[in-house]
Amino acid sequence: MSTPRGEGGSGAVPHWTTVARPVDRTLASGADPRPSGVVAWVAVVSVLVIVAVAVAALFAARGLAEAESVRDAADRADRIADAIVEPALTDALVDGDEEARRAMDDEVRDHVLSSSIVRVKIWDDTGRVVWSDEPALIDRRFTLDEDDLEALAAAGNGNSTGTGVEAEVSDLTAPENEYERDRGKLLEAYRAVATPGGQTLLFEVYFRYDEVLQRSGQLFAGFAGITIGSIVLVVLLLLPVLRQLLRALDRARVQREALLERALDASAAERRRIAGALHDGVVQDLVGASLAVSAESGSARARGDVTTADGLDRVAGALRGSVGGLRSLLVDIYPPNLARAGIGPALDDLAAGVRSRGVAVVLEADAASALDDEGQRLVFRVVQECLANVVAHARASVVSVTADRAAEGGVVVTVADDGAGFDPELLTRPEPDHFGLRVLADVAGAGGAGLDLQTAPGHGTRWRLTLPASAVAPAVAASTGGRGDPS
């Protein structure tokens, strides 16, 4: 017996073309969301939204608290300068008089320094520290930045009575702040002050940043509490609506599945009715006519009328051929063995019909019996269409139908012939002559199976149907542990 060239013939082997991709039916059938899945999705989204809102609220609260603390620091520095520092300033302090420095030190330590204020500095316009509660800074010179110079310039222009107060987060990397680096993050506020003699100085006070953190916590608690509470309340109010929608969706899914099942049952019943009517009517009439013609042929031959007998024999043969064709058609319309005895006998019936048309069939498809009912129907439809194409177009002498268990637990069915082959591009063309090829792709895709094609003119044709593990009958899958053929 010759071997289909798609499997071992001469010449270059064509590449495989994917016609349909396999899909796990357990996933494909779950296109409608399940209530538990939707609830979980809503819960996850709600948690993500709440976390996002909390993070945004934290940053917003920190920014608002810092801005508010900066304004508060500026206001406090302004009041301290007016009420304590400027009245205590003397020209002798600028000149470095020790008595003046001790007096300022007593005043600041008694009335300014506290748990929230950690440093005070007084500068002149040359960048010299005239006085500070840190003695190591006194008389040292540093470069004043533009904001400091602007504050001094504003006071020098006659605006020296508490205006121009500035506040900001301290830059602890600056050289003049080396003695504050161990105090943590700080806020600094500064403004111009004047001595009794009219000399303009720069008063600078440093506040702890802890107040900013405390204030941001208070703002966050208020802001996030209201926002997150609102979100939770909205979610809780939506839950009953979501529950009703999920119930309606579930009822619609059940109704749709029931309608589909009834439609399939009605289609199968109609096929049974048509097949029964043909079998009990036309087929039986043709069988009876064939027997009557054969009997008449025998009578004519007994009378010596050989010519008439030969003509009647030809008519009887034609009638028997018509009966065989109709019986093959009945198997195509409704394969009784598929529902009654399973895929094996049904494929035997298909193979018998092909053999009656002069094409040898090699059938090794026992592994297909591991499939569930839907999978077996899919295999039958695909093999039926493939064999119909072989008989109608391939001009093949032999065709093989094999089924094997895949390593992933599914089943792979291969139909290969040694016929003329064809151009795979025909799959993409809309001509009506190629309708059967499109049927194969649609049937496989609708069943969640993969379909691959290997063919070329003069190289035969191979169809490879790949059914996922979800198409295997549960009892068979359990016996193999969800894997492939244990043998």
Side-chain angles (χ1 to χ4, degrees):
M1 182 177 293
S2 59
T3 303
R5 277 175 283 180
E7 294 185 87
S10 60
V13 177
H15 67 276
W16 285 98
T17 300
T18 299
V19 179
R21 297 188 181 278
V23 178
D24 191 327
R25 291 212 307 256
T26 59
L27 298 178
S29 62
D32 289 337
R34 300 293 180 181
S36 58
V38 174
V39 171
W41 180 81
V42 171
V44 170
V45 171
S46 300
V47 169
L48 291 177
V49 170
I50 290 173
V51 170
V53 169
V55 172
L58 180 61
F59 280 102
R62 178 66 62 83
L64 290 173
E66 186 171 287
E68 185 174 316
S69 297
V70 167
R71 289 193 298 269
D72 181 64
D75 184 62
R76 290 179 63 186
D78 194 33
R79 293 198 303 270
I80 292 171
D82 285 339
I84 300 174
V85 174
E86 197 165 37
L89 282 176
T90 62
D91 293 309
L93 179 68
V94 179
D95 296 335
D97 181 74
E98 290 296 331
E99 186 66 26
R101 287 178 176 176
R102 282 194 296 270
M104 178 60 72
D105 191 75
D106 293 340
E107 191 71 18
V108 168
R109 293 187 185 278
D110 291 343
H111 303 292
V112 178
L113 294 180
S114 64
S115 60
S116 60
I117 298 177
V118 299
R119 181 73 68 234
V120 174
K121 301 174 186 176
I122 300 176
W123 309 68
D124 65 13
D125 57 1
T126 65
R128 180 175 69 92
V129 178
V130 174
W131 180 88
S132 173
D133 63 289
E134 173 54 57
L137 289 172
I138 297 176
D139 289 332
R140 292 184 61 182
R141 293 183 185 274
F142 302 94
T143 302
L144 296 175
D145 58 27
E146 293 182 1
D147 293 336
D148 296 333
L149 294 175
E150 288 177 2
L152 288 170
N157 292 330
N159 191 12
S160 60
T161 58
T163 60
V165 182
E166 300 289 341
E168 60 187 16
V169 177
S170 301
D171 179 11
L172 297 180
T173 62
E176 66 270 19
N177 295 329
E178 63 176 308
Y179 294 102
E180 290 81 60
R181 291 169 187 167
D182 60 345
R183 303 297 183 93
K185 197 171 184 179
L186 301 174
L187 285 176
E188 63 182 59
Y190 49 89
R191 56 156 283 187
V193 292
T195 66
Q199 184 173 355
T200 302
L201 300 176
L202 187 69
F203 165 67
E204 189 174 33
V205 60
Y206 290 76
F207 299 87
R208 290 189 182 276
Y209 199 80
D210 296 344
E211 294 184 2
V212 176
L213 298 179
Q214 294 173 1
R215 183 57 180 159
S216 65
Q218 295 170 357
L219 291 173
F220 173 76
F223 181 79
I226 294 174
T227 306
I228 294 175
S230 300
I231 295 174
V232 172
L233 180 61
V234 170
V235 171
L236 292 177
L237 291 175
L238 286 177
L239 283 179
V241 179
L242 179 63
R243 183 181 180 184
Q244 293 299 323
L245 289 176
L246 290 174
R247 286 182 174 178
L249 181 62
D250 193 54
R251 287 195 298 268
R253 179 181 58 81
V254 171
Q255 292 173 357
R256 186 174 65 251
E257 291 177 353
L259 287 174
L260 178 59
E261 186 175 351
R262 284 198 293 269
L264 293 175
D265 292 341
S267 175
E270 185 64 15
R271 285 172 174 266
R272 280 198 304 270
R273 188 189 66 79
I274 294 173
L278 287 175
H279 181 271
D280 297 336
V282 177
V283 172
Q284 296 302 324
D285 292 343
L286 288 176
V287 170
S290 173
L291 293 175
V293 171
S294 296
E296 187 60 32
S297 171
S299 299
R301 197 174 300 280
R303 294 193 305 267
D305 189 352
V306 177
T307 302
T308 300
D310 291 341
L312 291 173
D313 286 339
R314 286 192 295 274
V315 172
L319 289 172
R320 287 192 295 271
S322 298
V323 170
L326 281 174
R327 283 177 171 163
S328 296
L329 179 61
L330 292 178
V331 171
D332 292 344
I333 294 175
Y334 180 73
N337 279 338
L338 180 59
R340 184 176 62 251
I343 187 66
L347 292 180
D348 287 335
D349 289 343
L350 289 178
V354 175
R355 292 187 185 106
S356 68
R357 291 169 172 84
V359 180
V361 179
V362 178
L363 184 60
E364 299 176 355
D366 292 343
S369 60
L371 299 168
D372 58 18
D373 292 342
E374 185 178 347
Q376 291 188 17
R377 284 194 294 269
L378 177 60
V379 169
F380 181 85
R381 287 289 308 280
V382 171
V383 173
Q384 181 185 44
E385 190 63 37
C386 289
L387 293 180
N389 288 334
V390 169
V391 173
H393 307 292
R395 300 191 299 277
S397 60
V398 60
V399 59
S400 66
V401 180
T402 60
D404 300 290
R405 292 297 299 274
E408 297 80 8
V411 173
V412 179
V413 179
T414 305
V415 181
D417 67 70
D418 63 350
F422 61 92
D423 185 356
E425 292 296 324
L426 293 177
L427 290 168
T428 62
R429 298 177 187 173
E431 288 86 349
D433 291 343
H434 314 312
F435 179 74
L437 300 178
R438 294 197 299 277
V439 167
L440 279 172
D442 292 342
V443 167
L451 185 64
D452 300 292
L453 170 65
Q454 185 185 53
T455 187
H459 286 82
T461 301
R462 293 186 72 191
W463 292 97
R464 183 174 64 194
L465 179 70
T466 304
L467 292 96
S470 57
V472 176
V476 177
S479 67
T480 60
R483 301 182 294 274
D485 193 340
S487 60

